Amino acid sequence: MKKNYLQHINNPDDLKNLNVDQLKDLAQELREFIIDVVSVKKGHLGSSLGVIELTIALHYVFDTPRDLLVWDVGHQAYPHKILTGRRELFHTNRQLNGISGFPSRKESKYDAFGVGHASTSISAALGMAIASRLSGDDNKQHIAVIGDASIAGGMAFEGLNHAGVAKSNILIVLNDNEMGIDPNVGALKQYLTSVKSDQKMQKNIFEALNFSYNGPIDGHDLPTLIKTLKDLKQQKGPKFLHVITKKGKGLKQAEQNQVTYHAPGKFDKQTGDLLEFEDLSEPPKFQDVFGKTLVELAKKNEKIIGITAAMPTGTSIKYMLEEIPDRAFDVGIAEQHAVTMAAGLATEGYIPFCAIYSTFLQRAYDQIIHDIALQNLPVIFCLDRAGLVGDDGPTHHGVFDMAFLRLIPNMVISAPMNEIELRNIMFTAQEQLSHPIAIRYPRGKGFYKDWQKPFSIIEIGKGRMIRDGKDMAVLSIGTIGETVCTVLDDLKSNSIAHFDMRFVKPLDKKLLNYISGKFAKILIIEEGVLQGGFGSAILEYYQEQGLTQLKIKRLGIPDEFIEQGSVSELLALLGLDFKGIKKEIKDFLND
Ligand SMILES: Cc1ncc(C[n+]2csc(CCOP(=O)(O)OP(=O)(O)O)c2C)c(N)n1
Ligand SMILES: CC(=O)[C@@H](O)[C@H](O)COP(=O)(O)O
Ligand SMILES: [Mg+2]
């Protein structure tokens, strides 16, 4: 008879009523439940399937939420969410008004720390451990669960270095599956492999850093996990547990094709077969236009280098890694290193295309200012996932870049309106640039099937008029300009002009002067934060010109963190979709 333990687990205390054999059955149920829901609702699959036994064991042995459990990145926390009171909400995972795809402090007391970006867990858990020690609570455990790719991030190393001497109760669980989203890279990965194969190593790196090292153990073996964690629970000070797991465990396709099944979209839960395919009759993704254009350019220009920080598939740098492996680098989850390495390459006359998701570039802010801009090094930043990204939510939306880059001297900031413009600005940047440049483009599908047109130069700092008008000007930056075009086509009004400004910096002052001379009303639209972004730049310019009589309205992302939802839902909520923009344009025109 099929048992059903899972439906009785409403919090980790309920686990404690089960024996180890029952926990094994529970693991199977949990696996089926996650596969059931994610196959329909989508989300991160492989990493969660890999930590089911580990999650059960952690909640079984430790006294969460009193013992504090921090998940690194948090994309693997589905079993944790389900066991900590969110089973019945799990079908809303990553959806508008649903539960977050990542641990979130506001969602549950079991989510000790909000995550989404990698390599934070050790620092956060150490902070908690020090706080407990200072408060005289010496019996509490503070646990960071971190993957083998995330532990290579700089911050994780900084945390390890401190934790080894901080005299606090911290347990670092390394979940080693030899994978990031793509296969893990780097010397540390090679080292971890050698630790696994030579368990008699005299003293490993973690012991050398003052941790009591335990493992490696099989992360799918519940009895061993429970016994080991029980022993560790009794120990004070810094502890390290090396756990070996398989990403995608329990679903054949997910085990075999770990990159695709990191977040596979909809799939058949029985067979594991994918149900969503790229529609080849549709325009390609921006990422593919970027990746293929980069190869095209790099074949002609041998100075071009491609760089990704652990996102070769996501950014499509994979095409260059496949075709020109000598000049393409995956540096792992190391955005800061990627940026300064690009700076070094640029000093020697190379032309680095550094492709980093907008949200992850936040990690490398000082490197952009100190290592790149201050020395005016012509590094080409390709800011993927700029704008709203959808289901990943506030940790991942790429909405700050225009604002945080704009204040840096020497930076050129461009936002192509479509993929043809993207190709041309990539071409321009490698041909003739003497400054660092950021090129921002969104996640997903472009607009044109015939994007592979001959290259043409885009004049840096020059915008363009898309349509002329009499009474009002709409100024857009980036792909939202395509929505403006559709709205204006629909309105069929000859009153409204549209300008694709192309650059946030330098601003096209000549064009702005023309616009202010001709139009009394100016509507500025951007898919980025209103505070300090593109619209702010224009406001500042007109204010400096003393043009206070202009009627200016701005549309963009308000001063709040935007939750998760599909991109179209979020754009609609923010009034940045076709309907919202049309209404604003009409209202402003008639105002
Ligand atoms: C700073 C940062 N860079 C990149 C990412 C994108 N990212 C999310 S998960 C992941 C791989 C994580 O690998 P690992 O830590 O080994 O966990 P696994 O998925 O193997 O369980 C990456 C690169 C991120 N979340 N944060
Ligand atoms: C957890 C994480 O940071 C990544 O898996 C991210 O969700 C990838 O986003 P894309 O799906 O846009 O590549
Ligand atoms: Mg991993």
Side-chain angles (χ1 to χ4, degrees):
M1 199 176 77
K2 197 167 166 9
K3 311 179 186 61
N4 198 335
Y5 298 115
L6 185 58
Q7 68 175 344
H8 302 293
I9 308 292
N10 296 315
N11 61 57
D13 285 344
D14 295 331
L15 286 177
K16 292 169 183 159
N17 302 323
L18 303 183
N19 63 36
V20 175
D21 285 334
Q22 291 168 324
L23 290 177
K24 286 185 192 166
D25 289 336
L26 174 73
Q28 184 54 25
E29 288 174 25
L30 193 47
R31 207 160 249 123
E32 282 166 17
F33 182 71
I34 290 175
I35 292 172
D36 239 20
V37 176
V38 177
S39 66
V40 180
K41 303 287 180 165
K42 308 197 271 191
H44 290 106
L45 180 72
S47 306
S48 280
L49 292 183
V51 296
I52 286 183
E53 289 79 8
L54 176 61
T55 310
I56 292 174
L58 283 165
H59 281 296
Y60 185 70
V61 171
F62 290 97
D63 302 317
T64 55
R66 190 185 121 70
D67 289 330
L68 296 168
L69 177 57
V70 181
W71 295 94
D72 205 275
V73 185
H75 62 309
Q76 76 292 58
Y78 296 177
H80 159 82
K81 291 202 169 211
I82 294 163
L83 296 179
T84 55
R86 285 164 278 182
R87 185 186 65 249
E88 284 178 3
L89 287 175
F90 189 59
H91 67 282
T92 70
N93 188 33
R94 288 159 57 91
Q95 297 181 7
L96 187 67
N97 302 323
I99 60 169
S100 166
F102 300 96
S104 156
R105 279 169 63 79
K106 71 175 181 211
E107 193 177 284
S108 166
K109 63 182 177 186
Y110 291 94
D111 294 0
F113 200 67
V115 277
H117 289 197
S119 318
T120 61
S121 62
I122 298 177
S123 303
L126 181 60
M128 294 166 191
I130 292 172
S132 297
R133 176 167 57 73
L134 293 175
S135 311
D137 194 351
D138 212 22
N139 292 320
K140 203 162 161 176
Q141 287 293 351
H142 312 82
I143 306 144
V145 184
I146 185 164
D148 52 307
S150 298
I151 204 167
M155 245 186 109
F157 270 66
E158 293 167 33
L160 282 170
N161 186 39
H162 185 194
V165 294
K167 297 189 178 65
S168 300
N169 284 336
I170 182 167
L171 167 62
I172 296 170
V173 179
L174 171 63
N175 172 35
D176 185 356
N177 55 18
E178 299 191 7
M179 289 294 291
I181 295 176
D182 291 87
N184 196 7
V185 292
L188 184 69
K189 181 228 156 149
Q190 290 171 2
Y191 171 78
L192 291 173
T193 307
S194 68
V195 173
K196 279 178 274 184
S197 57
D198 180 7
Q199 299 196 15
K200 287 197 257 0
M201 259 191 186
Q202 279 307 304
K203 181 166 179 114
N204 74 34
I205 192 174
F206 305 106
E207 286 171 317
L209 290 172
N210 275 350
F211 285 84
S212 105
Y213 174 86
N214 301 268
I217 61 170
D218 176 353
H220 301 298
D221 176 349
L222 261 169
T224 305
L225 277 170
I226 290 171
K227 181 182 176 319
T228 313
L229 289 172
K230 278 186 173 164
D231 289 348
L232 287 168
K233 191 180 175 186
Q234 303 313 318
Q235 290 177 31
K236 301 268 187 264
K239 301 164 284 289
F240 195 97
L241 174 61
H242 190 168
V243 169
I244 312 299
T245 63
K246 193 178 240 339
K247 195 159 176 169
K249 176 80 176 173
L251 183 69
K252 202 160 135 232
Q253 280 90 335
E255 289 185 18
Q256 286 170 348
N257 191 350
Q258 295 174 327
V259 177
T260 302
Y261 284 80
H262 175 78
K266 292 185 184 171
F267 61 93
D268 181 319
K269 68 176 179 185
Q270 304 297 347
T271 63
D273 293 345
L274 299 177
L275 296 177
E276 292 181 326
F277 299 96
E278 197 178 339
D279 184 347
L280 296 175
S281 66
E282 292 279 303
K285 292 185 292 186
F286 273 89
Q287 289 61 42
D288 283 344
V289 172
F290 162 75
K292 289 178 181 166
T293 302
L294 183 62
V295 172
E296 202 179 329
L297 293 170
K299 281 185 176 164
K300 294 195 195 111
N301 184 344
E302 61 183 25
K303 291 289 179 192
I304 288 180
I305 306 284
I307 302 173
T308 173
M311 306 301 277
T313 301
T315 59
S316 290
I317 285 274
K318 66 175 180 189
Y319 294 124
M320 188 166 172
L321 278 161
E322 280 158 17
E323 290 206 41
I324 318 177
D326 286 355
R327 287 191 280 132
F329 299 91
D330 176 1
V331 300
I333 304 182
E335 289 79 8
Q336 297 166 308
H337 162 63
V339 169
T340 303
M341 185 181 94
L345 282 156
T347 63
E348 298 303 299
Y350 281 89
I351 305 174
F353 277 73
C354 199
I356 298 184
Y357 286 17
S358 165
T359 186
F360 302 142
L361 192 71
Q362 290 162 197
R363 275 285 161 89
Y365 196 44
D366 181 59
Q367 286 73 10
I368 298 171
I369 295 177
H370 179 272
D371 300 334
I372 306 257
L374 182 57
Q375 307 184 82
N376 200 18
L377 294 169
V379 169
I380 300 163
F381 291 105
C382 300
L383 300 201
D384 196 338
R385 276 40 173 199
L388 298 164
V389 296
D391 316 331
D392 273 340
T395 51
H396 283 62
H397 292 315
V399 292
F400 301 108
D401 51 30
M402 289 190 280
F404 74 65
L405 292 174
R406 188 171 79 78
L407 49 88
I408 305 175
N410 289 334
M411 280 300 297
V412 173
I413 307 167
S414 75
M417 189 163 118
N418 53 49
E419 59 273 43
I420 297 163
E421 290 274 301
L422 169 62
R423 268 169 71 75
N424 286 337
I425 192 67
M426 288 173 69
F427 173 69
T428 305
Q430 55 86 46
E431 279 277 295
Q432 51 171 240
L433 207 73
S434 52
H435 298 281
I437 182 170
I439 305 172
R440 78 186 301 265
Y441 49 91
R443 183 180 201 271
K445 200 159 60 91
F447 303 96
Y448 300 100
K449 275 180 67 182
D450 55 343
W451 54 275
Q452 230 149 355
K453 298 200 188 284
F455 290 116
S456 58
I457 291 282
I458 289 180
E459 202 180 332
I460 298 295
K462 289 287 161 213
R464 58 182 182 148
M465 182 164 72
I466 304 276
R467 148 197 311 257
D468 205 356
K470 296 192 308 268
D471 304 315
M472 168 180 157
V474 180
L475 276 54
S476 65
I477 186 83
T479 50
I480 204 157
E482 291 283 343
T483 316
V484 174
C485 287
T486 329
V487 168
L488 295 183
D489 285 347
D490 187 63
L491 286 174
K492 295 186 186 67
S493 158
N494 59 3
S495 297
I496 310 160
H498 177 202
F499 299 86
D500 165 27
M501 296 303 289
R502 280 183 166 153
F503 293 88
V504 179
K505 190 175 181 172
L507 278 177
D508 188 343
K509 294 180 179 168
K510 203 165 155 201
L511 186 58
L512 287 177
N513 293 344
Y514 166 79
I515 293 167
S516 59
K518 180 164 177 184
F519 302 96
K521 285 183 185 172
I522 299 173
L523 180 65
I524 304 171
I525 309 187
E526 63 193 301
E527 198 178 321
V529 291
L530 286 166
Q531 275 70 19
F534 165 67
S536 296
I538 295 175
L539 278 186
E540 283 164 25
Y541 176 71
Y542 282 144
Q543 195 271 338
E544 281 159 15
Q545 304 305 305
L547 298 173
T548 44
Q549 79 288 359
L550 289 173
K551 221 169 163 185
I552 300 182
K553 184 158 191 189
R554 297 190 293 138
L555 304 183
I557 311 284
D559 188 17
E560 62 195 60
F561 287 105
I562 307 302
E563 292 301 325
Q564 76 226 12
S566 69
V567 171
S568 51
E569 285 168 334
L570 298 177
L571 287 173
L573 278 176
L574 295 165
L576 293 172
D577 63 341
F578 174 90
K579 203 169 145 207
I581 291 177
K582 184 173 172 183
K583 179 175 181 316
E584 290 290 346
I585 289 179
K586 278 170 62 183
D587 289 354
F588 196 42
L589 187 66
N590 300 326
D591 193 11

PDB file of all heavy atoms in Angstrom, residues 3 11 13 87 99 117 122 139 214 256 265 338 348 371 380 409 525 540 563:
ATOM      1  N   LYS A   3       2.277   4.610   0.961  1.00  0.00           N
ATOM      2  CA  LYS A   3       2.193   5.381   2.198  1.00  0.00           C
ATOM      3  C   LYS A   3       2.097   6.851   1.824  1.00  0.00           C
ATOM      4  O   LYS A   3       2.397   7.229   0.715  1.00  0.00           O
ATOM      5  CB  LYS A   3       3.443   5.151   3.024  1.00  0.00           C
ATOM      6  CG  LYS A   3       3.767   3.680   3.160  1.00  0.00           C
ATOM      7  CD  LYS A   3       5.014   3.471   3.968  1.00  0.00           C
ATOM      8  CE  LYS A   3       5.422   2.015   3.978  1.00  0.00           C
ATOM      9  NZ  LYS A   3       5.735   1.456   2.648  1.00  0.00           N
ATOM     10  N   ASN A  11       5.617  20.762   9.556  1.00  0.00           N
ATOM     11  CA  ASN A  11       6.817  21.470   9.983  1.00  0.00           C
ATOM     12  C   ASN A  11       7.859  20.414  10.370  1.00  0.00           C
ATOM     13  O   ASN A  11       7.517  19.223  10.497  1.00  0.00           O
ATOM     14  CB  ASN A  11       6.511  22.446  11.129  1.00  0.00           C
ATOM     15  CG  ASN A  11       5.990  21.719  12.343  1.00  0.00           C
ATOM     16  OD1 ASN A  11       6.672  20.831  12.856  1.00  0.00           O
ATOM     17  ND2 ASN A  11       4.795  22.058  12.798  1.00  0.00           N
ATOM     18  N   ASP A  13       9.170  19.421  13.009  1.00  0.00           N
ATOM     19  CA  ASP A  13       8.911  18.577  14.179  1.00  0.00           C
ATOM     20  C   ASP A  13       8.200  17.289  13.776  1.00  0.00           C
ATOM     21  O   ASP A  13       8.401  16.236  14.387  1.00  0.00           O
ATOM     22  CB  ASP A  13       8.046  19.333  15.198  1.00  0.00           C
ATOM     23  CG  ASP A  13       8.870  20.373  15.944  1.00  0.00           C
ATOM     24  OD1 ASP A  13      10.121  20.275  15.876  1.00  0.00           O
ATOM     25  OD2 ASP A  13       8.274  21.286  16.534  1.00  0.00           O
ATOM     26  N   ARG A  87       3.960  23.226   1.789  1.00  0.00           N
ATOM     27  CA  ARG A  87       3.595  22.169   0.837  1.00  0.00           C
ATOM     28  C   ARG A  87       2.366  22.575   0.013  1.00  0.00           C
ATOM     29  O   ARG A  87       2.334  22.460  -1.200  1.00  0.00           O
ATOM     30  CB  ARG A  87       3.313  20.874   1.601  1.00  0.00           C
ATOM     31  CG  ARG A  87       3.044  19.688   0.717  1.00  0.00           C
ATOM     32  CD  ARG A  87       2.626  18.470   1.509  1.00  0.00           C
ATOM     33  NE  ARG A  87       1.349  18.669   2.183  1.00  0.00           N
ATOM     34  CZ  ARG A  87       1.193  18.783   3.504  1.00  0.00           C
ATOM     35  NH1 ARG A  87       2.246  18.708   4.314  1.00  0.00           N
ATOM     36  NH2 ARG A  87      -0.002  18.970   4.030  1.00  0.00           N
ATOM     37  N   ILE A  99       4.443  31.859  -3.652  1.00  0.00           N
ATOM     38  CA  ILE A  99       5.655  31.833  -2.838  1.00  0.00           C
ATOM     39  C   ILE A  99       6.874  32.057  -3.737  1.00  0.00           C
ATOM     40  O   ILE A  99       6.829  31.792  -4.936  1.00  0.00           O
ATOM     41  CB  ILE A  99       5.802  30.524  -2.017  1.00  0.00           C
ATOM     42  CG1 ILE A  99       5.849  29.294  -2.920  1.00  0.00           C
ATOM     43  CG2 ILE A  99       4.682  30.405  -1.008  1.00  0.00           C
ATOM     44  CD1 ILE A  99       6.259  28.026  -2.179  1.00  0.00           C
ATOM     45  N   HIS A 117      21.436  35.376  -5.050  1.00  0.00           N
ATOM     46  CA  HIS A 117      22.791  35.479  -5.589  1.00  0.00           C
ATOM     47  C   HIS A 117      23.697  34.512  -4.813  1.00  0.00           C
ATOM     48  O   HIS A 117      23.483  34.278  -3.622  1.00  0.00           O
ATOM     49  CB  HIS A 117      23.328  36.902  -5.439  1.00  0.00           C
ATOM     50  CG  HIS A 117      22.664  37.879  -6.358  1.00  0.00           C
ATOM     51  ND1 HIS A 117      23.203  39.109  -6.637  1.00  0.00           N
ATOM     52  CD2 HIS A 117      21.518  37.813  -7.071  1.00  0.00           C
ATOM     53  CE1 HIS A 117      22.421  39.754  -7.488  1.00  0.00           C
ATOM     54  NE2 HIS A 117      21.386  38.993  -7.752  1.00  0.00           N
ATOM     55  N   ILE A 122      27.959  31.554   3.729  1.00  0.00           N
ATOM     56  CA  ILE A 122      28.942  31.378   4.813  1.00  0.00           C
ATOM     57  C   ILE A 122      29.035  32.669   5.633  1.00  0.00           C
ATOM     58  O   ILE A 122      28.995  32.635   6.876  1.00  0.00           O
ATOM     59  CB  ILE A 122      30.318  30.951   4.247  1.00  0.00           C
ATOM     60  CG1 ILE A 122      30.172  29.595   3.536  1.00  0.00           C
ATOM     61  CG2 ILE A 122      31.374  30.893   5.349  1.00  0.00           C
ATOM     62  CD1 ILE A 122      31.430  29.089   2.857  1.00  0.00           C
ATOM     63  N   ASN A 139      24.708  27.067  22.432  1.00  0.00           N
ATOM     64  CA  ASN A 139      24.247  25.736  22.020  1.00  0.00           C
ATOM     65  C   ASN A 139      23.560  25.722  20.670  1.00  0.00           C
ATOM     66  O   ASN A 139      23.055  24.706  20.242  1.00  0.00           O
ATOM     67  CB  ASN A 139      23.256  25.181  23.057  1.00  0.00           C
ATOM     68  CG  ASN A 139      23.972  24.891  24.337  1.00  0.00           C
ATOM     69  OD1 ASN A 139      25.089  24.384  24.306  1.00  0.00           O
ATOM     70  ND2 ASN A 139      23.359  25.265  25.462  1.00  0.00           N
ATOM     71  N   ASN A 214      34.752  16.779   7.706  1.00  0.00           N
ATOM     72  CA  ASN A 214      34.072  15.481   7.771  1.00  0.00           C
ATOM     73  C   ASN A 214      33.626  15.088   6.373  1.00  0.00           C
ATOM     74  O   ASN A 214      33.106  15.912   5.634  1.00  0.00           O
ATOM     75  CB  ASN A 214      32.837  15.573   8.671  1.00  0.00           C
ATOM     76  CG  ASN A 214      33.219  16.000  10.064  1.00  0.00           C
ATOM     77  OD1 ASN A 214      33.460  15.181  10.924  1.00  0.00           O
ATOM     78  ND2 ASN A 214      33.328  17.308  10.279  1.00  0.00           N
ATOM     79  N   GLN A 256      20.893  12.751 -16.420  1.00  0.00           N
ATOM     80  CA  GLN A 256      21.744  12.619 -17.605  1.00  0.00           C
ATOM     81  C   GLN A 256      22.024  13.958 -18.278  1.00  0.00           C
ATOM     82  O   GLN A 256      23.061  14.151 -18.876  1.00  0.00           O
ATOM     83  CB  GLN A 256      21.064  11.671 -18.609  1.00  0.00           C
ATOM     84  CG  GLN A 256      21.161  10.233 -18.151  1.00  0.00           C
ATOM     85  CD  GLN A 256      20.294   9.306 -18.982  1.00  0.00           C
ATOM     86  OE1 GLN A 256      19.449   9.746 -19.759  1.00  0.00           O
ATOM     87  NE2 GLN A 256      20.492   8.010 -18.809  1.00  0.00           N
ATOM     88  N   GLY A 265      11.782  24.005 -17.683  1.00  0.00           N
ATOM     89  CA  GLY A 265      10.465  24.347 -18.239  1.00  0.00           C
ATOM     90  C   GLY A 265       9.525  23.170 -18.007  1.00  0.00           C
ATOM     91  O   GLY A 265       9.810  22.266 -17.209  1.00  0.00           O
ATOM     92  N   ALA A 338      35.995  38.259 -12.994  1.00  0.00           N
ATOM     93  CA  ALA A 338      35.743  38.363 -14.443  1.00  0.00           C
ATOM     94  C   ALA A 338      35.994  39.793 -14.914  1.00  0.00           C
ATOM     95  O   ALA A 338      36.630  40.020 -15.953  1.00  0.00           O
ATOM     96  CB  ALA A 338      34.304  37.946 -14.754  1.00  0.00           C
ATOM     97  N   GLU A 348      46.335  45.035 -22.291  1.00  0.00           N
ATOM     98  CA  GLU A 348      47.277  44.441 -23.250  1.00  0.00           C
ATOM     99  C   GLU A 348      46.735  44.457 -24.675  1.00  0.00           C
ATOM    100  O   GLU A 348      47.203  43.720 -25.541  1.00  0.00           O
ATOM    101  CB  GLU A 348      47.594  43.003 -22.826  1.00  0.00           C
ATOM    102  CG  GLU A 348      48.276  42.904 -21.469  1.00  0.00           C
ATOM    103  CD  GLU A 348      49.573  43.707 -21.419  1.00  0.00           C
ATOM    104  OE1 GLU A 348      50.493  43.416 -22.197  1.00  0.00           O
ATOM    105  OE2 GLU A 348      49.642  44.653 -20.602  1.00  0.00           O
ATOM    106  N   ASP A 371      38.845  49.475 -11.430  1.00  0.00           N
ATOM    107  CA  ASP A 371      39.761  48.763 -12.328  1.00  0.00           C
ATOM    108  C   ASP A 371      39.516  49.083 -13.800  1.00  0.00           C
ATOM    109  O   ASP A 371      40.416  48.948 -14.620  1.00  0.00           O
ATOM    110  CB  ASP A 371      39.638  47.250 -12.115  1.00  0.00           C
ATOM    111  CG  ASP A 371      39.984  46.867 -10.678  1.00  0.00           C
ATOM    112  OD1 ASP A 371      40.740  47.610 -10.035  1.00  0.00           O
ATOM    113  OD2 ASP A 371      39.473  45.842 -10.193  1.00  0.00           O
ATOM    114  N   ILE A 380      34.027  45.659 -22.937  1.00  0.00           N
ATOM    115  CA  ILE A 380      32.640  45.670 -23.421  1.00  0.00           C
ATOM    116  C   ILE A 380      31.798  44.797 -22.489  1.00  0.00           C
ATOM    117  O   ILE A 380      31.952  43.568 -22.453  1.00  0.00           O
ATOM    118  CB  ILE A 380      32.593  45.154 -24.874  1.00  0.00           C
ATOM    119  CG1 ILE A 380      33.460  46.054 -25.761  1.00  0.00           C
ATOM    120  CG2 ILE A 380      31.143  45.103 -25.378  1.00  0.00           C
ATOM    121  CD1 ILE A 380      33.821  45.459 -27.093  1.00  0.00           C
ATOM    122  N   PRO A 409      32.273  58.023 -14.332  1.00  0.00           N
ATOM    123  CA  PRO A 409      32.928  58.710 -15.454  1.00  0.00           C
ATOM    124  C   PRO A 409      33.496  57.699 -16.457  1.00  0.00           C
ATOM    125  O   PRO A 409      33.876  56.589 -16.081  1.00  0.00           O
ATOM    126  CB  PRO A 409      34.060  59.503 -14.783  1.00  0.00           C
ATOM    127  CG  PRO A 409      33.667  59.607 -13.352  1.00  0.00           C
ATOM    128  CD  PRO A 409      32.839  58.403 -13.027  1.00  0.00           C
ATOM    129  N   ILE A 525      10.370  56.917 -21.288  1.00  0.00           N
ATOM    130  CA  ILE A 525      10.010  55.542 -20.894  1.00  0.00           C
ATOM    131  C   ILE A 525      11.259  54.668 -20.826  1.00  0.00           C
ATOM    132  O   ILE A 525      12.057  54.630 -21.763  1.00  0.00           O
ATOM    133  CB  ILE A 525       9.007  54.928 -21.893  1.00  0.00           C
ATOM    134  CG1 ILE A 525       7.825  55.883 -22.108  1.00  0.00           C
ATOM    135  CG2 ILE A 525       8.526  53.574 -21.398  1.00  0.00           C
ATOM    136  CD1 ILE A 525       6.693  55.325 -22.928  1.00  0.00           C
ATOM    137  N   GLU A 540      17.868  66.025 -15.510  1.00  0.00           N
ATOM    138  CA  GLU A 540      19.023  66.818 -15.054  1.00  0.00           C
ATOM    139  C   GLU A 540      19.513  67.718 -16.182  1.00  0.00           C
ATOM    140  O   GLU A 540      19.816  68.898 -15.975  1.00  0.00           O
ATOM    141  CB  GLU A 540      20.167  65.894 -14.615  1.00  0.00           C
ATOM    142  CG  GLU A 540      19.935  65.279 -13.254  1.00  0.00           C
ATOM    143  CD  GLU A 540      20.863  64.083 -12.996  1.00  0.00           C
ATOM    144  OE1 GLU A 540      21.951  64.001 -13.595  1.00  0.00           O
ATOM    145  OE2 GLU A 540      20.475  63.218 -12.175  1.00  0.00           O
ATOM    146  N   GLU A 563       8.246  42.240  -7.248  1.00  0.00           N
ATOM    147  CA  GLU A 563       8.121  40.810  -6.933  1.00  0.00           C
ATOM    148  C   GLU A 563       8.237  39.963  -8.197  1.00  0.00           C
ATOM    149  O   GLU A 563       8.477  40.453  -9.275  1.00  0.00           O
ATOM    150  CB  GLU A 563       6.782  40.564  -6.214  1.00  0.00           C
ATOM    151  CG  GLU A 563       6.725  41.175  -4.832  1.00  0.00           C
ATOM    152  CD  GLU A 563       7.818  40.655  -3.882  1.00  0.00           C
ATOM    153  OE1 GLU A 563       8.173  39.463  -3.972  1.00  0.00           O
ATOM    154  OE2 GLU A 563       8.334  41.435  -3.072  1.00  0.00           O
TER     155      GLU A 563
END
